Amino acid sequence: MKAEIINVGTELLLGETVNTNATFLAKELKLIGISVYHMSTIGDNQQRLKELLTSAFERSEIIITTGGLGPTKDDLTKETVAATLGVDMIFNDGELEKLKKIFKHREKDLNEGNLRQAYFPDGAKIINNNNGTASGCIIENGKNIIIVLPGPPREITPMVKETIIPYLEKFSDQKFVSKVINVCGIGESIMEERVMPLIKAQENPTLAPYFKETGLILRAMASAKDELTAKKMLAPFVKEVEKLLGDNIYAYGEDLTMESVVGRYLMENNLTISTAESCTGGLLSGALINIDGISKVFKTGFTTYTNESKTEFLGVEKALLDKYAAVSKQVAEAMAIGAAKVANTDIALSTTGIAGPTGGTKEKPVGLVYVGLYVKGKTYVKKLNLMGDRQKIRTRAVREALDFLRRTLNVPKYDFDEQA
Amino acid sequence: MKAEIINVGTELLLGETVNTNATFLAKELKLIGISVYHMSTIGDNQQRLKELLTSAFERSEIIITTGGLGPTKDDLTKETVAATLGVDMIFNDGELEKLKKIFKHREKDLNEGNLRQAYFPDGAKIINNNNGTASGCIIENGKNIIIVLPGPPREITPMVKETIIPYLEKFSDQKFVSKVINVCGIGESIMEERVMPLIKAQENPTLAPYFKETGLILRAMASAKDELTAKKMLAPFVKEVEKLLGDNIYAYGEDLTMESVVGRYLMENNLTISTAESCTGGLLSGALINIDGISKVFKTGFTTYTNESKTEFLGVEKALLDKYAAVSKQVAEAMAIGAAKVANTDIALSTTGIAGPTGGTKEKPVGLVYVGLYVKGKTYVKKLNLMGDRQKIRTRAVREALDFLRRTLNVPKYDFDEQA
């Protein structure tokens, strides 16, 4: 089935708010095999919205709108959908009761605008909104399925996952399953090159590469008449990808960070850890501490930004700093040893480097970072040459440091989907 | 003038990439007084793109496309624009030379697809792309202005700022100036309520509230025949806003973080600082260290996640931890005093709290955070009750801690636009 997404809201046209609703909806639809061919953003203007809806009803089977369901006079999406379809707006008693309850709880009175929220196009099936006053609705007119949703992402997320997707899934005789393969240590083009035979050869399952904020991913997807069959098709296909990418795969599962993988391993194996940071300035410990339960193994983090603080708190010898300077293999190693010793941990991870934009030299350019690692008496050092601005160099250094720890400890490729 | 943005790219319809180009373009256009009425996303499909362009040429004066200028067969934006306008694609010798240079530098050969990148619609004015092989172009056909840009955000950003905006500004007899007012310490609805008289009363200058990742902002905008007159209109208007919001304004300027404001003050006044973090786990020092030049004043950061490490490294007495527990006013204060002492700094900032999702009790719920502050012998403590998940609570705690420091030190409301 062909779907179309229409995001209504003048604020989106003003360029201060990024349209994450369109992305979210497109992805959810893709995961049940529905293709989106058009996405449009339009202001709170009845005439332009009507023109757009008219085209959409012609060219797409499923039309999903977001926004324009609020209590103000600008909010006209439901009314415009009804007008375009040529149906009346009908008052819904149940909705009024819901609104009364919400406003009683808020100790406020319902105004005229709120009463308008209780009207829906004739024949619409109401979709409950547990996070706001604007309910959504579904209208089937024989030719089109029109789904009308509110604007705030936190309101539509549960509505889509709990109601819209199960509703739309019924129209398909195929079930889709997917697996996100999280990749690190190689660039996008090398990753693509290596898995190209699988991208090209396969119709089902499919494999597609994406570049995300958290890093590179591959999404493998299979479809079949039932979920179990699709899963059985997907498993060997994912194994094929694993053969091609090896340890550059760090885990399986949606929206995974490197720290969640490393943190899980540390907690499962009761390995205590401390950090000693210079150029990453606390971001490495900040990443580790983002994992719930990490207090079991994370003890102490040091941000030693000056040479003096490296000596005073980590016991890095002044002579070593004088001889090799702070950004060096030797100091990275000494920082890790020092942190493990003073914090009394099994493992210590250190960073020292030049984040820029100033401070680089020909020998030690901006982006040069040394990662030091101490694991139960043994030490390891990795040299990185990172690209980007100050913020990016620091974020990448954190990720690379955690990846260095992962590879050194031989952390298994967890499948986080299997936890649930 | 009415503008329309068309983003071309199947990857956008698949929901793995958020469309930040549309947001960026809309904002840049708004700042020179051009309104965007339609934004559309469409796949790499010539027929659908042609239909969309045909509608766009009818209803909008300025049409900006992004994407579809690459060397693959899918990339058809320029060809489709030419076909819709009924003009030929013309080979450009200068572009070929540019491409040859780039490929020589990359030590690769030009392929047929790359040669296609040297063709442009007849009459097009080429826009140089310093960050990629795909140049953009501008076509004026008397009725419409069509601007064709590549897809990658890092490529279009300089092209828009350096070429497109100055080009479009010439069509307007009005000059627009704007000022971003950065707000903290109050919620969106309270901010709106307080400045509502200004939002409602004014046509020029205008005032609009936005909720951004870095916090709340108000954008004040004025237009006049020349820039100086517009600036003179804007200044007293911004003063009016300042009267209404007082110290809840922390600075003026685009994309400002709280740490950039506090960091500037610390550096200007040679005030040294250290941090002692529990629940924020290094993110506070990580925020401060993101400012270039901060090594002048930032000395050491401690992430003391366990009671033992608070005692060992910050000298927080065991008796105090036993009596009041780690998440307490007393321990926050002792952590700040301890950090300032051991790191020998003028100022120390500490955090201790419950980031969740586990660990909360009735007396000390998830979101309870104490911020401790030591400034040259004096101490201050602030109690926070924060909402959100683990990540949000920690990010908000960092911001609130920095704001507490800002207010305690009476940091001036810097205007960062005036630096340039």
Side-chain angles (χ1 to χ4, degrees), chain B residues 74-194:
Chain B
D74 288 349
D75 293 303
L76 287 161
T77 305
K78 278 187 295 188
E79 291 79 355
T80 313
V81 166
T84 312
L85 289 170
V87 301
D88 289 331
M89 290 291 283
I90 307 289
F91 184 76
N92 186 300
D93 291 317
E95 280 302 299
L96 180 65
E97 290 310 310
K98 248 192 264 174
L99 287 165
K100 276 186 181 165
K101 258 190 208 164
I102 294 172
F103 278 78
K104 199 177 169 189
H105 184 76
R106 290 184 186 172
E107 295 177 5
K108 281 188 177 174
D109 289 328
L110 276 174
N111 63 30
E112 209 180 310
N114 297 121
L115 287 178
R116 275 185 46 234
Q117 293 189 291
Y119 284 83
F120 287 84
D122 196 6
K125 188 189 151 215
I126 290 171
I127 311 165
N128 218 1
N129 176 358
N130 290 321
N131 299 292
T133 56
S135 293
C137 67
I138 301 177
I139 305 148
E140 293 180 29
N141 73 345
K143 191 181 161 223
N144 305 112
I145 296 166
I146 303 122
I147 298 168
V148 179
L149 296 171
R154 60 181 285 273
E155 296 182 18
I156 72 167
T157 302
M159 294 168 84
V160 170
K161 293 200 181 224
E162 289 157 23
T163 310
I164 305 301
I165 294 301
Y167 164 79
L168 289 174
E169 265 186 320
K170 285 188 209 141
F171 292 92
S172 171
D173 56 354
Q174 290 290 98
K175 290 286 166 193
F176 292 79
V177 296
S178 81
K179 179 77 66 194
V180 172
I181 303 161
N182 296 278
V183 177
C184 63
I186 46 172
E188 196 171 4
S189 58
I190 293 174
M191 178 182 83
E192 272 198 51
E193 220 172 279
R194 288 210 206 151

Side-chain angles (χ1 to χ4, degrees), chain B residues 55-346:
Chain B
S55 305
F57 291 168
E58 276 302 312
R59 67 193 174 199
S60 305
E61 289 153 282
I62 302 165
I63 296 99
I64 305 183
T65 73
T66 68
L69 303 189
T72 77
K73 280 185 184 164
D74 288 349
D75 293 303
L76 287 161
T77 305
K78 278 187 295 188
E79 291 79 355
T80 313
V81 166
T84 312
L85 289 170
V87 301
D88 289 331
M89 290 291 283
I90 307 289
F91 184 76
N92 186 300
D93 291 317
E95 280 302 299
L96 180 65
E97 290 310 310
K98 248 192 264 174
L99 287 165
K100 276 186 181 165
K101 258 190 208 164
I102 294 172
F103 278 78
K104 199 177 169 189
H105 184 76
R106 290 184 186 172
E107 295 177 5
K108 281 188 177 174
D109 289 328
L110 276 174
N111 63 30
E112 209 180 310
N114 297 121
L115 287 178
R116 275 185 46 234
Q117 293 189 291
Y119 284 83
F120 287 84
D122 196 6
K125 188 189 151 215
I126 290 171
I127 311 165
N128 218 1
N129 176 358
N130 290 321
N131 299 292
T133 56
S135 293
C137 67
I138 301 177
I139 305 148
E140 293 180 29
N141 73 345
K143 191 181 161 223
N144 305 112
I145 296 166
I146 303 122
I147 298 168
V148 179
L149 296 171
R154 60 181 285 273
E155 296 182 18
I156 72 167
T157 302
M159 294 168 84
V160 170
K161 293 200 181 224
E162 289 157 23
T163 310
I164 305 301
I165 294 301
Y167 164 79
L168 289 174
E169 265 186 320
K170 285 188 209 141
F171 292 92
S172 171
D173 56 354
Q174 290 290 98
K175 290 286 166 193
F176 292 79
V177 296
S178 81
K179 179 77 66 194
V180 172
I181 303 161
N182 296 278
V183 177
C184 63
I186 46 172
E188 196 171 4
S189 58
I190 293 174
M191 178 182 83
E192 272 198 51
E193 220 172 279
R194 288 210 206 151
V195 297
M196 196 45 89
L198 292 176
I199 292 180
K200 280 198 171 165
Q202 304 291 330
E203 283 268 302
N204 182 21
T206 58
L207 188 69
Y210 300 101
F211 184 77
K212 300 257 209 178
E213 230 178 275
T214 46
L216 285 176
I217 66 158
L218 286 161
R219 185 183 293 279
M221 247 180 108
S223 63
K225 284 207 173 144
D226 60 90
E227 201 178 311
L228 191 67
T229 311
K231 276 190 176 167
K232 277 187 183 160
M233 287 166 70
L234 195 63
F237 185 73
V238 170
K239 283 281 159 213
E240 285 296 308
V241 180
E242 195 171 312
K243 269 188 210 155
L244 296 170
L245 294 177
D247 276 348
N248 292 310
I249 295 174
Y250 66 89
Y252 299 99
E254 200 92 36
D255 301 325
L256 281 188
T257 57
M258 184 70 77
E259 56 266 27
S260 60
V261 177
V262 173
R264 177 170 165 179
Y265 182 80
L266 295 176
M267 289 189 285
E268 280 181 4
N269 293 279
N270 256 312
L271 290 163
T272 56
I273 187 167
S274 56
T275 55
E277 304 179 62
S278 192
C279 65
T280 53
L283 296 182
L284 179 57
S285 67
L288 282 169
I289 285 181
N290 212 30
I291 302 151
D292 186 32
I294 198 77
S295 62
K296 193 180 150 194
V297 294
F298 183 91
K299 299 298 169 192
T300 311
F302 302 90
T303 299
T304 50
Y305 213 52
T306 57
N307 280 359
E308 292 71 35
S309 64
K310 288 179 183 72
T311 302
E312 191 175 346
F313 300 106
L314 302 173
V316 178
E317 284 179 30
K318 197 178 168 298
L320 197 78
L321 284 157
D322 289 343
K323 190 170 176 190
Y324 299 105
V327 181
S328 64
K329 181 180 177 300
Q330 290 80 5
V331 169
E333 190 179 17
M335 286 170 72
I337 294 171
K341 197 175 165 192
V342 297
N344 190 26
T345 51
D346 300 318

